[in-house]
Amino acid sequence: MKIIIEENYEKMSRVAANILLGKMYQQKRVNLAITAGSTPIKMYEYLVSDVKNKSYLDNVHYYNFDEIPFKQRKGYGVTMTNLTNLFFKPADIPESQIHPLDENNYKTQDKRIEQDGGLDLILLGIGADGHYCGNLPGTTKFENLTSYVGENATENMKDILLSEVGGDENERPDFYVTMGPKSVMQAKEIVLFATGKKKAAIIKRAFFGPITNEVPASLLQTHPNITIVLDKDAASELH
Ligand code: GLP
């Protein structure tokens, strides 16, 4: 496990963008699974100007690792909408390089990725409860591949699904899909990044505490090629 601690959010975001960018420069297909959420906002800003109009990066293929569908709205769910707005659209990434995971194809996600040559890198955020992708405590287990998580999976799942769609009851789905721990562990490289004091306690617990399903991200400690990129605040509980 490698840990990189940067002075602030901007520098942390630059480092994460550089790691991704460095992966892209290959003479072969490169498969990246990338995260939505608020943490990557700055990183995508950097990455958009790094990759836009660079046709020689057409070897890079992008995957989302979870999706929360809108109940009524057709088309992309929460994750792909977010990734499209933050990155795919401003960077003009052609559709042929984007491979959406959704409720219709989640059962074949692991097979598809395997057939595409596997993930070269997966970029993850982390929730204050220790989740990554949609692997929340009490939902998936370490042995699970890409999974369907229903609204009754945990006591507060209905509330979580509601907040994911911005509090709009009409759009609250009754499930989401996510790559499971076993799917994520198959990536050749993992980068997990976090910013702010609100992530400090979980960073310590997930990466310096016991490996347990109660803290889903704790499994990632065992990955042979994982880099954790933090700003000072997120690293503030580490010694
Ligand atoms: C959501 C996403 C996760 C992400 C997490 C943290 O649950 N599905 O992939 O890691 O949020 O988000 P943020 O970066 O906004 O703290």
Side-chain angles (χ1 to χ4, degrees):
M1 187 163 76
K2 195 161 107 188
I3 302 188
I4 300 174
I5 301 170
E6 290 293 327
E7 189 63 34
N8 54 39
Y9 175 60
E10 282 71 24
K11 288 188 177 158
M12 183 279 279
S13 302
R14 187 63 261 177
V15 167
N18 285 354
I19 296 174
L20 258 63
L21 201 56
K23 262 293 146 346
M24 295 179 187
Y25 280 77
Q26 311 255 350
Q27 287 283 36
K28 62 169 191 76
R29 178 177 174 134
V30 172
N31 297 324
L32 304 178
I34 53 175
T35 185
S38 58
T39 306
I41 290 175
K42 193 80 201 165
M43 184 207 66
Y44 286 129
E45 251 177 69
Y46 292 135
L47 219 48
V48 165
S49 59
D50 293 333
V51 310
K52 196 181 167 123
N53 298 325
K54 304 239 173 21
S55 57
Y56 55 82
L57 292 177
D58 63 3
N59 58 312
V60 183
H61 290 254
Y62 298 95
Y63 298 78
N64 58 312
F65 53 59
D66 62 13
E67 187 57 294
I68 303 137
F70 292 104
K71 179 104 189 167
Q72 297 184 8
R73 210 190 299 169
K74 296 269 170 278
Y76 286 156
V78 174
T79 299
M80 276 300 293
T81 300
N82 198 250
L83 288 176
T84 301
N85 293 336
L86 289 177
F87 181 58
F88 297 140
K89 206 163 162 212
D92 274 339
I93 305 294
E95 254 180 59
S96 55
Q97 290 166 242
I98 303 173
H99 305 276
L101 159 70
D102 60 32
E103 67 269 34
N104 300 310
N105 65 10
Y106 77 95
K107 285 183 181 158
T108 57
Q109 171 80 347
D110 294 279
K111 198 83 220 143
R112 281 189 303 137
I113 287 179
E114 190 190 325
Q115 283 165 352
D116 291 347
L119 289 178
D120 294 284
L121 186 148
I122 184 164
L123 174 72
L124 302 171
I126 186 169
D129 59 355
H131 83 262
Y132 60 98
C133 313
N135 298 298
L136 279 65
T139 60
T140 56
K141 293 246 180 307
F142 289 164
E143 69 263 29
N144 292 145
L145 292 166
T146 302
S147 303
Y148 174 104
V149 178
E151 63 180 357
N152 296 319
T154 61
E155 221 169 83
N156 57 352
M157 187 50 73
K158 286 184 182 153
D159 296 336
I160 292 172
L161 288 164
L162 182 61
S163 77
E164 288 283 353
V165 294
D168 181 353
E169 233 351 299
N170 297 322
E171 291 294 0
R172 183 178 68 78
D174 39 34
F175 69 94
Y176 62 85
V177 294
T178 181
M179 285 178 69
K182 195 166 179 190
S183 316
V184 173
M185 288 295 285
Q186 286 171 33
K188 295 177 189 111
E189 182 173 353
I190 298 178
V191 174
L192 182 143
F193 64 163
T195 174
K197 280 237 150 57
K198 61 185 186 303
K199 300 283 170 77
I202 194 62
I203 289 293
K204 183 176 179 193
R205 208 169 152 215
F207 297 103
F208 296 90
I211 297 166
T212 159
N213 273 302
E214 281 159 39
V215 183
S218 63
L219 175 67
L220 306 175
Q221 289 177 33
T222 65
H223 193 279
N225 189 3
I226 179 165
T227 304
I228 320 281
V229 187
L230 306 171
D231 62 12
K232 264 193 157 169
D233 284 345
S236 58
E237 292 201 18
L238 307 181
H239 297 294

